[in-house]
Amino acid sequence: MYTDPSEYYDKDLRNLSELLDFPNLPYYIDDEVKITQSKAILRHLGRKHNLDGSNEQELVRMDVIYEQVIEFFVALLSMAYLPDVENRKEIHEKLRKQFHAALPSKLLAITKFLGNDEWMGGKKLTYIDFIIYDVLDAIRRLFHPENLNAFPTLVAYVTRVEELKGVKEYLASDAFQPMPIFGPFALFGNTKDYTPSE
């Protein structure tokens, strides 16, 4: 893990430029592959460890919920990293209120999609569940937890992910940092002591 940007930019980036097609963080290297881009890494690990869909129906469900939730997360990123314009904070507050107002309908749609299944792809845990968990957890931390708590099905889903072997241990360890979610230049969720306002 890099704690000082110069460790990466001044040292490792030069070495990685020879190893990787698109040198960037994060990266993953094993005996078979050399990959950048977090979702490409996750998909590779999913295939490698039998956490991919088993049939076309599961794969389609995974694709659909991934695209839906990524749209959701991009909206969060857009609020967090607005361009440096004169009325930046006003725009941020307006977008934040709009996002918060739409949150119940978005979470309801995800709840309906999950239905009675344990996992987003169906009956089997897949790598997509970690992406969905990450977004739901970010919402829970960036806004009041009550927003997610209004949807018991999603709370149970988040709990299932958090109880997985390895995940549970990581969340209880000193390595886990619940905040910040965004970098220091973001307009919210950018400090260890961040507390939600709505």
Side-chain angles (χ1 to χ4, degrees):
M1 175 186 272
Y2 294 97
T3 55
D4 177 358
S6 65
E7 290 178 51
Y8 174 70
Y9 288 106
D10 296 341
K11 180 182 155 199
D12 286 355
L13 182 58
R14 282 189 219 113
N15 299 332
L16 292 171
S17 295
E18 297 172 17
L19 289 174
L20 301 167
D21 294 323
F22 303 101
N24 201 353
L25 292 176
Y27 63 87
Y28 174 85
I29 298 173
D30 67 15
D31 293 338
E32 301 170 6
V33 296
K34 298 171 185 166
I35 313 172
T36 53
Q37 299 299 337
S38 57
K39 301 307 181 276
I41 293 167
L42 198 53
R43 283 192 291 273
H44 166 71
L45 292 173
R47 290 187 297 269
K48 184 174 180 173
H49 296 286
N50 194 29
L51 291 172
D52 203 1
S54 303
N55 55 53
E56 188 62 20
Q57 184 179 7
E58 286 179 4
L59 291 167
V60 167
R61 282 185 60 85
M62 291 167 63
D63 288 345
V64 169
I65 194 64
Y66 171 78
E67 296 297 336
Q68 188 64 36
V69 171
I70 288 305
E71 278 183 20
F72 208 29
F73 194 68
V74 168
L76 284 173
L77 287 173
S78 298
M79 278 188 289
Y81 295 104
L82 285 169
D84 193 12
V85 293
E86 192 175 312
N87 57 343
R88 182 179 188 217
K89 289 193 177 184
E90 291 170 25
I91 295 170
H92 168 74
E93 285 307 315
K94 181 181 177 187
L95 291 173
R96 193 176 162 117
K97 284 179 182 170
Q98 289 172 350
F99 184 90
H100 188 256
L103 196 52
S105 64
K106 302 274 188 189
L107 293 174
L108 179 60
I110 296 170
T111 300
K112 286 180 177 177
F113 182 86
L114 180 61
N116 294 322
D117 289 328
E118 284 190 32
W119 307 108
M120 290 296 170
K123 303 297 179 201
K124 173 188 166 194
L125 174 71
T126 65
Y127 72 85
I128 215 75
D129 291 296
F130 296 101
I131 296 171
I132 307 307
Y133 168 80
D134 192 42
V135 174
L136 293 174
D137 185 53
I139 289 165
R140 179 174 62 173
R141 294 178 196 285
L142 292 169
F143 298 93
H144 280 302
E146 290 80 27
N147 291 289
L148 189 63
N149 291 346
F151 298 90
T153 300
L154 294 183
V155 171
Y157 172 79
V158 164
T159 301
R160 272 194 299 281
V161 174
E162 291 177 338
E163 290 294 318
L164 290 169
K165 187 176 188 270
V167 174
K168 184 175 184 175
E169 291 77 9
Y170 169 71
L171 292 175
S173 75
D174 291 339
F176 173 65
Q177 300 294 316
M179 281 292 183
I181 289 176
F182 299 127
F185 301 111
L187 288 165
F188 75 130
N190 59 343
T191 60
K192 283 188 176 188
D193 61 350
Y194 172 82
T195 50
S197 60
E198 55 210 347

